[in-house]
Amino acid sequence: MACAPALIDREGRTISYLRISVTDRCDLRCRYCMSEAMSFMPRSAVLSLEEMALIAERFIARGVRKIRLTGGEPLVRRDMIDLARRLGGKIGSGLDELTLTTNGTRLAEHAEALFDAGVRRINVSLDSRDPDTFRYITRHGDVTRVLDGIAAAKAAGLAVKINMVALKGLNQAEIAPMLAWTSAEGMDLTLIETMPLGAIDEDRADRFLPLTEVMADLRTRFALTPDSHTTGGPARYWRIEGTDSRLGLISPLTANFCATCNRVRLSTDGKLHMCLGHEDSVDLKAAIRAGGLAEVDARIEEALALKPARHDFRIAPGAAPAVARHMSVTGG
Ligand code: SAM
Ligand code: SF4
């Protein structure tokens, strides 16, 4: 099993990064992510944590070196820490890093267990530090819980990077203060353009804020120099002079970096998605239930041929989402 061939797609890209949507459920309802009346998968459709672990271990055997647990909100799934512990046990035996993306509402309870499981770095989504704006964007969230969660994570020894979706007229004026805050706190900040994934109650075009515009403003306020750091992903980084912190930009709409994409995503219901922006997938839940890991391997081979050269995201007034699936299902 350990000698299984590396995962190389038809564009010659090596897959070394797996994201797992541990659950599509969430305790928040961010306006750009899902509708207020979002419906979630029936529990019968969802992979068990044992199935997730077995599939993840197959990917590690095929050369995946980094795994991110995400969702939905990963920390709302009961026993999710057991999965983190099991995968954390692979660090140093194939896996280099286990990370997590979370909205932070339950981080204070779980930070120490995550550290004990082997997690060292996490991403926390924080679109606003203003209680009213945060509540508006998330529809009912309490920002103090997230801020307490971030403090607990740092106290537990976890490095925290903040994710912020740039939203025109909503948190636009908070971007520069957020960067000043994250760098003063020794954290990195990643800004994200809103992506057309899944139906929501609003038109995403109304809130779309190109990061080219944001950067033009930030460069008048901060001394930013390009940084060579890369995760093989869509983010491009800048150093903030006079600090140890970085600014990352995920701008799939205004800049495309698919040529170096190294990642695939396992959805809550066991679909392996080779691209966030395409509908194609293979069904690893059916595979593992019908034929075990040999069948999983065969489906992964098929999937390698499906990875498209690039996504076709477009945000325009009234346009339908590029894919019907929400980010919470695929694993953002
Ligand atoms: N619930 C966790 C959280 O919010 O961090 C993890 C899952 S969430 C889908 C992962 C990231 O995707 C978050 O930073 C969130 O802001 C971002 N996100 C969700 N929907 C998005 C969209 N349509 N466009 C851009 N980013 C989105
Ligand atoms: Fe939940 Fe994260 Fe989506 Fe917000 S962005 S609704 S926290 S999954």
Side-chain angles (χ1 to χ4, degrees):
M1 294 281 247
C3 297
L7 300 165
I8 301 176
D9 76 0
R10 60 185 178 177
E11 301 286 321
R13 296 170 295 192
T14 300
I15 309 304
S16 57
Y17 184 1
L18 173 69
R19 292 188 174 209
I20 304 176
S21 178
V22 171
T23 174
D24 64 325
R25 290 167 193 260
C26 190
D27 53 348
L28 300 181
R29 295 287 184 280
C30 302
R31 290 171 183 270
Y32 54 81
C33 178
M34 54 178 78
S35 70
E36 182 147 32
M38 179 77 174
S39 52
F40 299 105
M41 289 175 192
R43 289 187 201 279
S44 58
V46 170
L47 283 178
S48 70
L49 290 184
E50 174 67 15
E51 289 168 330
M52 277 182 191
L54 286 170
I55 292 171
E57 285 162 5
R58 248 355 256 143
F59 276 93
I60 296 169
R62 302 283 311 263
V64 159
R65 307 192 68 92
K66 177 170 170 179
I67 293 180
R68 179 176 298 280
L69 303 178
T70 177
E73 173 45 41
L75 294 177
V76 304
R77 182 154 178 182
R78 210 160 44 85
D79 301 339
M80 174 271 172
I81 291 292
D82 292 339
L83 177 66
R85 280 198 200 99
R86 176 149 164 192
L87 296 180
K90 299 285 170 192
I91 296 171
S93 314
L95 195 64
D96 292 339
E97 190 176 30
L98 177 67
T99 59
L100 176 89
T101 300
T102 174
N103 65 24
T105 59
R106 300 182 185 203
L107 197 46
E109 297 154 54
H110 296 293
E112 284 185 12
L114 287 167
F115 185 90
D116 291 343
V119 176
R120 292 293 176 267
R121 299 191 305 149
I122 60 171
N123 290 357
V124 180
S125 300
L126 181 63
D127 297 322
S128 171
R129 289 168 63 223
D130 175 78
D132 294 333
T133 309
F134 184 85
R135 191 173 310 107
Y136 179 79
I137 293 174
T138 59
R139 289 199 177 91
H140 59 254
D142 174 2
V143 75
T144 54
R145 288 187 60 160
V146 181
L147 295 172
D148 289 349
I150 292 169
K154 289 165 90 177
L158 298 166
V160 177
K161 180 162 86 176
I162 301 297
N163 279 356
M164 179 183 194
V165 176
L167 299 164
K168 185 166 74 182
L170 258 186
N171 63 4
Q172 189 169 2
E174 283 191 67
I175 295 176
M178 185 71 93
L179 182 58
W181 178 70
T182 51
S183 40
E185 294 283 321
M187 298 186 287
D188 291 345
L189 172 67
T190 297
L191 298 174
I192 305 173
E193 279 176 348
T194 180
M195 296 174 225
L197 303 171
I200 56 171
D201 299 332
E202 305 167 9
D203 189 337
R204 283 193 178 91
D206 294 342
R207 295 293 183 194
F208 176 64
L209 179 58
L211 292 186
T212 40
E213 190 181 321
V214 173
M215 273 306 277
D217 174 60
L218 290 180
R219 292 182 84 161
T220 67
R221 301 167 188 259
F222 298 85
L224 300 171
T225 48
D227 188 88
S228 57
H229 175 80
T230 175
T231 59
R236 288 299 169 268
Y237 292 90
W238 297 77
R239 281 232 154 264
I240 304 130
E241 270 180 37
T243 78
D244 292 329
S245 298
R246 273 190 299 250
L247 170 66
L249 300 181
I250 298 186
S251 36
L253 280 297
T254 55
N256 181 290
F257 298 105
C258 301
T260 54
C261 182
N262 63 353
R263 61 197 60 192
V264 294
R265 292 173 164 86
L266 182 65
S267 69
T268 313
D269 58 348
K271 304 275 186 341
L272 180 65
H273 293 279
M274 306 304 278
C275 175
L276 193 57
H278 281 255
E279 300 284 4
D280 290 341
S281 66
V282 297
D283 187 349
L284 297 187
K285 182 180 72 176
I288 199 168
R289 290 185 184 175
L293 292 178
E295 193 65 21
V296 168
D297 271 343
R299 293 288 87 73
I300 292 175
E301 283 310 316
E302 277 172 26
L304 286 172
L306 291 180
K307 190 165 169 69
R310 55 174 292 155
H311 66 70
D312 311 309
F313 288 152
R314 198 172 63 89
I315 296 243
V323 293
R325 233 172 36 238
H326 293 82
M327 183 98 119
S328 49
V329 172
T330 328

